[in-house]
Amino acid sequence: MEPSELKRSKDSPNLDESTRRLSFPDEVLERVLSLLKSHRDRSSVSLVCKDWYNAERWSRTHVFIGNCYSVSPEIVARRFPKIRSVTLKGKPRFSDFNLVPENWGADIHAWLVVFAAKYPFLEELRLKRMAISDESLEFLAVSFPNFKALSLLSCDGFSTNGLAAIATHCKNLTELDIQENGIDDKGGSWLSCFPESFTSLEVLNFANLSSDINFDALERLVGRCKSMRVLKLNRSVSLEQLQRLLVNAPQLAELGTGSFSEELTFRQCVELESALSNCKNMHTLSGLWDAKGIYLPALYPVCTHLTFLNLSYAALRSDELAKLLAHCPRLKRLWVLDTVEDKGLEAVGMNCPLLEELRVFPADLFDEEIIHGVTEAGFVAVSFGCPRLHYVLYFCCQMTNAAVATIVQNCPDFTHFRLCIMNPGQPDHITNEPMDEAFGAVVKTCTKLQRLSVSGRLTDLTFEYIGRYAKNLETLSVAFAGSSDWGMQCVMGGCSKLRKLEIRDCPFGNAALLSGLEKYESMRSLWMSACNVTMNGCRLLAREMPRLNVEVMKEDGSDDSQADKVYVYRSIAGPRRDAPPSVLTL
Amino acid sequence: MSTPLEHDYIGLAETSSMERSSEKISSSSSSSIPSNIEDKTTNNPSLNLKETELRLGLPGSQSPERKLSLFGKDLETNDKSNGFVGSPLKNLVSGAKRGFSDAIDGSNGKWVFAINDKSDVELGKGAVLASPRGGLDSKTNPQQVRTSVPVMKEVVGVPQSPKPVQDKKNLVPPVNEHTSAPAAKAQVVGWPPIRSFRKNSMASNLAKNSDEAAGCLYVKVSMDGAPYLRKVDLKTYNNYREFSSALEKMFSCFTIGQCGSNGDGLSESRLMDLLHGSEYVLTYEDKDGDWMLVGDVPWEMFTDSCRRLRIMKGSEAIGLAPRAMEKCKNQN
């Protein structure tokens, strides 16, 4: 956009009737557009015409970048001059499961340098799967005087020293949200770095960290931050300490407890229960590490208005869960471990009719002597009791086609269906057939499906179904499935709204890869690892589609012609320059 | 919950969907494995053993100069130290398994094995896929493992030197010698798809929670020199006396040899003498990971904090032994 075009036409009194009807003064347009929050809506708006493009870019305060390499910080800064809040995502999702080399990239520092120059009033930074060092955190802390919110999810490269820098320098901090990161926990002294005069914190989440923090410092911090609404403690905080914190923070809306297993006297139990019952605003509860069933009744007072209960770190038995859920009628989101077994899930179906989201995580991956976990029966039971269910993540040891058909019949509104049968390539355990019909039922019945993860033994038929029926599908994850290139070709040809496709250990080769030639520019990214794609196939793709970055990660000693891991994504920033030697950009 | 990932995974390596996996075992150990295979094949006529080793080790290892992987190391350690002739597969796998549960802290417990078949391999589906659940109990289905393996041979034959997984976190920690679980539980990198943080958090809950899940308190009991471990439910006993006599019954078979020719069946009292003498000392590992002498604390406190037990040779329990004798006498 040329600078001249940026000139706002504040006064246009000489426009004739027809033009006046067609154009608002810019500031009106900007005012209207500033009410738009969704970045997708804003993208659509910016495509209408040049005026709207300009109005949109001047009014945008939050930018979401789903792939940090799709654009450069300079380009972002040039287009959007008034950004206060940035969300950035870096590595491919499979890096969460160690499929991506450690030094792959997605370092935030280059972005921070540009932001410091162009967005000195930056307030919020939310990162997912980015690499961030302590130096970067310190740079962040001192470069942005208005900085308010930092959220790190699945990031790595930093230690608690970086957190100390944030706590020390960010005088206006309202949010410090450290979730599930590869953080080097060097101790809990960072918490004591918040100055005594500091009172603005509203969100504090350090559940990810394991070291002991100075409880007195925490108690004082919570006591003086009267606007605190989210507090998620780490395991080192005891039940007794929790009670002391709650007494000073009854306004909390979201609580993540610390360890929930110590021995409590009767009086301590009563005090805890009383402190919790004073938290009238609490709608989210998590933590509950090592929860012992006998202390769960202390939670009953808050359970009545809970909408989100995260028990995914509490290995509860079915009876313990059932007793707890009897008090949680308003639950909308529930995360549990599979220690609750099918019986526990039956209790979910019976007690939580408003449930919209269920996630069942596996507790014990390694001890084969323990045969617990959940099966198709649990899922079916939930589906009968919870017709509003639309988001499910289900790790199970067995499944049947019939069960899935029943489930989607009961719950046709699925938007996110992530089923993980933990044995790769396992068939229907009753009929021994592939699980094709199960996912066929899902895509045929759930027309609003946006995200799908498949598992079990699957032939190309599954992908035929997906291509034919999953017209709203945006994200697809495939592992150990398919029979031939045809499977992936069906998906590439049929799923018009596909944005993210991640595949591992499938028999898809070059023909499959190249079938998506036209499609990749409308997608965020494609990941293929341990498939049959060769270097030549990748080179061909790179040659045909110059606006795609085609990156191949080679593993030592593998055949020169095989493309072990392929990551393809659209980019207006060109090939990246910070790739490590193991990553080849074609 | 547990699933014999490796059983069905192998089986599924057979389907066309598993034509190739680039997952490699952490730091190759090709050099040691072939030599071990040779050793094992001489010791054990079953070719399957060799193949099972390859299956879990490195496929078509071609670079003998490669450093021993943790697997390889474990294998060697097990070879030397284990008195009994078990399948090297058992050693390797169970060792690896032990490595998991023992040192899960800080490790992400991902290991890999490579299946490289560039050709469609028609592996025998029947044996393994027939009962995926059956595979769960490895003790009853060791055959299943073996039958699937021969096919793997073709797969494995593809020459490809294994590569060290780039992520150090994938390295499997060293094996505990006291392994007994025969199940081969090979794992695949990044599967099931759980974030490391969650894996590590759950790992530290492993023993306690899975045991307590059923309202019982199973802990492993190992005895020095015994070929396999036992598990006891601490909740079924009310005091030390009941407990120790149960243990004696359980482990009497292993001490028969010690009695020499003193009778056709080992008498309880003789065993008790053995246990209460300087021969053996009963110790346990508590929640903090320390090895303690059994009997010091009240029974309830003991059951609360005991993670596993070890019947130690008195000669090893230096410093403990004298007190042990006294304590035992007092308790008895």
Side-chain angles (χ1 to χ4, degrees), chain A residues 295-309:
Chain A
Y295 299 127
L296 292 179
L299 301 173
Y300 291 169
V302 277
C303 286
T304 32
H305 21 269
L306 271 190
T307 54
F308 179 18
L309 180 57

Side-chain angles (χ1 to χ4, degrees), chain B residues 139-207:
Chain B
K139 294 185 178 72
T140 60
N141 291 310
Q143 279 314 311
Q144 279 202 330
V145 177
R146 302 239 174 82
T147 44
S148 68
V149 165
V151 191
M152 285 304 303
K153 185 183 177 183
E154 298 157 42
V155 171
V156 159
V158 175
Q160 213 180 70
S161 28
K163 41 214 77 142
V165 171
Q166 55 268 26
D167 188 349
K168 285 197 263 305
K169 290 180 282 193
N170 285 344
L171 291 182
V172 179
V175 166
N176 181 336
E177 289 178 9
H178 294 285
T179 64
S180 69
K185 198 171 177 92
Q187 311 267 333
V188 181
V189 164
W191 190 266
I194 313 271
R195 285 200 186 128
S196 319
F197 175 71
R198 176 170 293 282
K199 268 188 183 157
N200 294 342
S201 301
M202 292 326 301
S204 52
N205 286 345
L206 256 181

Side-chain angles (χ1 to χ4, degrees), chain A residues 289-530:
Chain A
W289 308 89
D290 318 313
K292 280 222 170 88
I294 50 170
Y295 299 127
L296 292 179
L299 301 173
Y300 291 169
V302 277
C303 286
T304 32
H305 21 269
L306 271 190
T307 54
F308 179 18
L309 180 57
N310 180 352
L311 297 170
S312 63
Y313 291 103
L316 296 185
R317 300 191 310 258
S318 51
D319 54 305
E320 292 170 329
L321 179 68
K323 262 194 270 182
L324 184 58
L325 289 182
H327 294 92
C328 306
R330 301 221 180 92
L331 221 49
K332 289 193 181 157
R333 300 172 64 196
L334 176 63
W335 296 16
V336 290
L337 284 175
D338 65 2
T339 51
V340 303
E341 298 182 355
D342 291 333
K343 232 169 165 299
L345 294 180
E346 280 172 33
V348 174
M350 287 196 289
N351 288 297
C352 306
L354 302 179
L355 199 68
E356 298 176 15
E357 174 179 329
L358 174 69
R359 301 195 195 198
V360 181
F361 294 95
D364 192 346
L365 297 172
F366 310 118
D367 192 346
E368 78 280 348
E369 292 159 31
I370 306 297
I371 306 171
H372 291 152
V374 293
T375 71
E376 72 275 16
F379 199 169
V380 169
V382 174
S383 73
F384 275 113
C386 310
R388 297 193 196 186
L389 202 59
H390 69 85
Y391 190 120
V392 93
L393 169 62
Y394 199 76
F395 284 87
C396 57
C397 53
Q398 65 187 50
M399 188 52 60
T400 67
N401 289 310
V404 177
T406 306
I407 288 162
V408 295
Q409 202 171 15
N410 293 336
C411 306
D413 297 328
F414 273 114
T415 55
H416 297 69
F417 194 90
R418 303 166 62 187
L419 178 62
C420 182
I421 304 167
M422 287 195 275
N423 240 323
Q426 180 173 302
D428 180 319
H429 79 96
I430 292 181
T431 66
N432 236 2
E433 286 172 0
M435 296 298 296
D436 295 335
E437 294 308 318
F439 294 104
V442 172
V443 295
K444 281 179 207 164
T445 315
C446 306
T447 51
K448 302 184 214 160
L449 196 68
Q450 291 169 25
R451 180 169 180 186
L452 180 64
S453 299
V454 298
S455 60
R457 172 129 67 94
L458 302 174
T459 70
D460 285 343
L461 183 55
T462 298
F463 302 102
E464 279 182 37
Y465 285 141
I466 293 175
R468 205 181 319 155
Y469 295 103
K471 292 305 176 188
N472 283 320
L473 193 65
E474 296 179 10
T475 306
L476 179 62
S477 304
V478 186
F480 306 106
S483 338
S484 73
D485 286 337
W486 173 239
M488 185 170 162
Q489 286 168 333
C490 289
V491 171
M492 299 312 302
C495 298
S496 43
K497 292 202 187 168
L498 195 64
R499 292 190 305 118
K500 285 177 281 185
L501 180 57
E502 45 187 30
I503 301 173
R504 62 167 291 183
D505 295 276
C506 296
F508 303 141
N510 293 338
L513 175 72
L514 296 169
S515 69
L517 216 56
E518 309 294 316
K519 192 129 179 64
Y520 298 130
E521 275 188 9
S522 63
M523 289 170 56
R524 185 188 293 176
S525 64
L526 165 75
W527 168 281
M528 287 178 78
S529 62

Side-chain angles (χ1 to χ4, degrees), chain A residues 143-252:
Chain A
S143 308
F144 303 99
N146 270 11
F147 196 72
K148 293 207 169 97
L150 178 66
S151 168
L152 301 176
L153 170 58
S154 237
C155 297
D156 61 7
F158 64 107
S159 78
T160 40
N161 292 344
L163 298 186
I166 299 285
T168 308
H169 298 291
C170 298
K171 306 275 182 270
N172 296 314
L173 199 68
T174 59
E175 179 174 337
L176 183 60
D177 181 20
I178 310 296
Q179 290 184 56
E180 299 205 355
N181 298 292
I183 183 173
D184 181 9
D185 193 340
K186 293 187 172 166
S189 55
W190 60 273
L191 191 88
S192 311
C193 292
F194 285 109
E196 289 297 318
S197 56
F198 173 75
T199 60
S200 51
L201 206 56
E202 296 171 22
V203 174
L204 177 62
N205 176 1
F206 61 98
N208 188 190
L209 305 176
S210 45
S211 305
D212 291 355
I213 37 96
N214 180 328
F215 181 71
D216 286 335
L218 176 64
E219 196 175 10
R220 287 196 305 275
L221 178 67
V222 172
R224 60 180 188 266
C225 293
K226 292 298 175 197
S227 310
M228 192 172 281
R229 49 184 175 81
V230 176
L231 178 62
K232 299 197 178 168
L233 309 166
N234 73 358
R235 224 165 176 162
S236 74
V237 177
S238 70
L239 274 180
E240 204 233 320
Q241 291 172 330
L242 172 67
Q243 186 264 340
R244 282 160 61 182
L245 290 173
L246 289 177
V247 162
N248 282 329
Q251 77 283 1
L252 282 179

Side-chain angles (χ1 to χ4, degrees), chain A residues 537-574:
Chain A
C538 294
R539 286 192 194 103
L540 184 58
L541 176 63
R543 203 168 37 239
E544 294 295 312
M545 306 294 297
R547 279 185 302 194
L548 295 179
N549 280 356
V550 179
E551 297 180 7
V552 176
M553 284 153 267
K554 298 281 298 167
E555 293 177 359
D556 298 339
S558 83
D559 196 324
D560 276 346
S561 67
Q562 285 301 109
D564 305 312
K565 295 177 183 171
V566 181
Y567 186 50
V568 178
Y569 57 93
R570 65 181 175 190
S571 175
I572 57 174

Side-chain angles (χ1 to χ4, degrees), chain A residues 248-264:
Chain A
N248 282 329
Q251 77 283 1
L252 282 179
E254 297 183 28
L255 174 67
T257 72
S259 174
F260 217 75
S261 68
E262 80 198 51
E263 310 275 332
L264 285 185

